[in-house]
Amino acid sequence: ADKKKSALLGALNAVQHENKGFLTEALMDSVADYMGLAKIEVYEVASFYSMYELKPVAKHNVAICTNISCMLMGSQSIVDHVEEKLSIKLGESTADGRIYLKVEEECLAACAGGPMMQVNHVYYENLTPEKVDEILDGLN
């Protein structure tokens, strides 16, 4: 009972994933009620962390790490490749609503495996343009 807050990130991840990639106020309220937390505690967490979306974006959420470690290993070329491939810029969704390319991620904590990206909470490391194409083309 005294460790409820430690489960909040996981709970929000699960709820967001089941709701097509974003959280609503009603869903956050439900999480708060279920976990016995104040609603404001849930809102604070959901609005602070970049892994949570508070509005609809797209079916698949793609985040490319651009922190210094990944940058030194070529993350900008991966960002450029993805933007060109999908015909969108960071912070935009494809016209068909299939893929959302998150605004630059400061760090996804996989520094030894850069450049890396996260797609729907799954990490992909040591990226090349070919590897990125395979991953993105495999999304339905």
Side-chain angles (χ1 to χ4, degrees):
D2 62 337
K3 300 195 180 1
K4 290 186 253 185
K5 289 184 184 178
S6 65
L8 182 54
L9 295 176
L12 289 173
N13 279 337
V15 170
Q16 176 172 273
H17 183 73
E18 291 299 317
N19 191 52
K20 300 179 183 172
F22 73 103
L23 297 168
T24 64
E25 187 174 331
L27 288 171
M28 290 185 284
D29 289 351
S30 294
V31 168
D33 292 343
Y34 181 79
M35 297 183 72
L37 297 171
K39 291 175 183 167
I40 189 64
E41 291 177 291
V42 175
Y43 300 160
E44 288 171 340
V45 168
S47 64
F48 177 78
Y49 288 102
S50 65
M51 67 185 91
Y52 301 116
E53 299 299 332
L54 302 178
K55 62 181 179 17
V57 284
K59 182 176 182 181
H60 301 288
N61 195 323
V62 175
I64 302 168
C65 182
T66 56
N67 202 331
I68 187 72
S69 296
C70 284
M71 181 197 62
L72 291 172
M73 292 186 253
S75 66
Q76 188 57 53
S77 66
I78 299 299
V79 170
D80 295 342
H81 177 76
V82 171
E83 287 181 336
E84 184 176 328
K85 177 179 179 60
L86 299 177
S87 299
I88 59 175
K89 297 289 184 192
L90 292 173
E92 296 178 349
S93 297
T94 55
D96 62 2
R98 195 169 69 89
I99 297 174
Y100 171 61
L101 184 55
K102 287 186 69 103
V103 175
E104 292 183 76
E105 279 295 332
E106 182 58 29
C107 182
L108 290 168
C111 299
M116 67 85 58
M117 70 180 181
Q118 182 184 42
V119 180
N120 300 333
H121 312 294
V122 177
Y123 278 29
Y124 298 93
E125 299 180 2
N126 304 303
L127 296 174
T128 63
E130 296 77 23
K131 201 170 181 181
V132 168
D133 287 348
E134 184 180 318
I135 294 163
L136 296 179
D137 292 346
L139 298 174
N140 54 6

